[in-house]
Amino acid sequence: MNPETKLKVAAEEIKEVLRKHDLAAIFSLHTPGHGEFVLHLNASHSCAYIYNDHEIRFHSKRKDYKSQEEQIQKLTNTSNMLKLLCDMTANNFLMLKRLSDNFDKLTNAEHK
């Protein structure tokens, strides 16, 4: 299996676990020379969904909910999900960037 296919297969397996547990996630996978980024927002508590692989849409029409309170709760949950995923991704980026930069200095690594 080529590296790109390997990453896509692994990402789909992870997304299946996320669907099983009704979770949203953002993650990256790596194999030498290749990386895969995944944004999975399709949890039941979210009104966000991935559309055409490169577009996020929000589905929250009043007619699709039993009450306005239910609609507001889903909007609130979606907002919370996006905020927490963003904050955690930013923290992870800062830690990983510092680690990567320091490792490159220690090893005199060059990236093409």
Side-chain angles (χ1 to χ4, degrees), residues 6 12 21 25 32 37 40 50 53 55 72 74-75 98 108:
K6 181 180 181 177
E12 285 304 315
H21 295 283
F37 170 81
H40 179 82
I50 307 299
D53 291 333
E55 191 176 328
I72 290 170
K74 184 149 302 189
L75 291 168
R98 195 172 320 128
N108 293 316

Side-chain angles (χ1 to χ4, degrees), residues 28-47:
S28 300
L29 301 172
H30 171 266
T31 192
H34 301 275
E36 180 78 13
F37 170 81
V38 179
L39 178 61
H40 179 82
L41 303 176
N42 301 10
S44 67
H45 58 270
S46 168
C47 66

Side-chain angles (χ1 to χ4, degrees), residues 41-112:
L41 303 176
N42 301 10
S44 67
H45 58 270
S46 168
C47 66
Y49 65 98
I50 307 299
Y51 181 80
N52 289 337
D53 291 333
H54 301 290
E55 191 176 328
I56 298 171
R57 291 198 176 176
F58 299 92
H59 180 75
S60 187
K61 294 181 180 175
R62 175 63 188 94
K63 68 179 179 128
D64 297 323
Y65 297 93
K66 295 175 188 167
S67 66
Q68 185 175 13
E69 291 76 22
E70 182 184 19
Q71 180 184 24
I72 290 170
Q73 185 61 55
K74 184 149 302 189
L75 291 168
T76 301
N77 291 342
T78 303
S79 178
N80 177 258
M81 173 193 71
L82 294 172
K83 173 71 171 143
L84 288 174
L85 289 175
C86 184
D87 289 352
M88 289 184 294
T89 300
N91 287 333
N92 289 338
F93 168 78
L94 292 172
M95 289 186 288
L96 190 57
K97 175 73 170 132
R98 195 172 320 128
L99 178 64
S100 177
D101 290 347
N102 287 337
F103 193 78
D104 286 351
K105 286 178 189 174
L106 286 170
T107 62
N108 293 316
E110 293 182 20
H111 304 279
K112 298 176 184 180

